[in-house]
Amino acid sequence: MDKVVWWEVETTDPELFQRFHAALSGWSFEPAFADTELGADYWIITAGDRGIGGLQRADPSASPPSAGPRLYVAVDDLEAALGRVVALGGLVERSRVALGGDDRWFGIFRDPTGVSFGLWTEHAGRP
């Protein structure tokens, strides 16, 4: 098992998730699978013209997971991206963290639906 082929997010408020991430990352969302055997309330997450993941409505009584995988998205300007997160209603959980070397910095945020994401950059912070 050496190749990630898909990732998915479940949230009780996929409409809020879509508004937030469309504004933050420019992602778009295409409804899918409602008329299949799966019968899911599901959207394909797209970046440009390619599907990159899936979004599914979680059971309304579900709470966001506190353990599990976290998706990291590459950004050029970590502080600007974290600032947009806050402006759009998200919460910064961890500001810039240096992992050593000259290409490894990250931050973590929680979107308004409670889903946690990481941001990764190859660029040092502003002096």
Side-chain angles (χ1 to χ4, degrees):
M1 294 191 300
D2 64 349
K3 185 177 179 183
V4 174
V5 297
W6 195 249
W7 60 273
E8 291 181 324
V9 174
E10 283 192 36
T11 177
T12 57
D13 194 343
E15 293 79 13
L16 178 57
F17 182 96
Q18 290 176 48
R19 287 190 303 274
F20 178 86
H21 289 280
L24 180 66
S25 302
W27 293 343
S28 57
F29 302 84
E30 300 295 325
F33 308 129
D35 59 350
T36 68
E37 183 180 338
L38 182 61
D41 203 356
Y42 194 94
W43 297 262
I44 304 295
I45 302 168
T46 60
D49 62 350
R50 98 182 211 277
I52 61 169
L55 169 64
Q56 185 166 346
R57 185 181 307 276
D59 181 303
S61 63
S63 61
S66 58
R70 177 178 291 126
L71 174 71
Y72 285 80
V73 178
V75 296
D76 286 328
D77 186 331
L78 183 59
E79 284 69 27
L82 290 172
R84 281 215 18 92
V85 164
V86 172
L88 293 168
L91 171 71
V92 174
E93 294 184 307
R94 184 173 289 176
S95 295
R96 178 182 288 270
V97 175
L99 296 176
D102 59 358
D103 66 348
R104 293 175 276 178
W105 297 273
F106 75 95
I108 297 173
F109 72 91
R110 192 167 293 274
D111 76 16
T113 71
V115 177
S116 182
F117 281 84
L119 297 174
W120 186 273
T121 188
E122 298 177 351
H123 305 288
R126 298 178 201 145

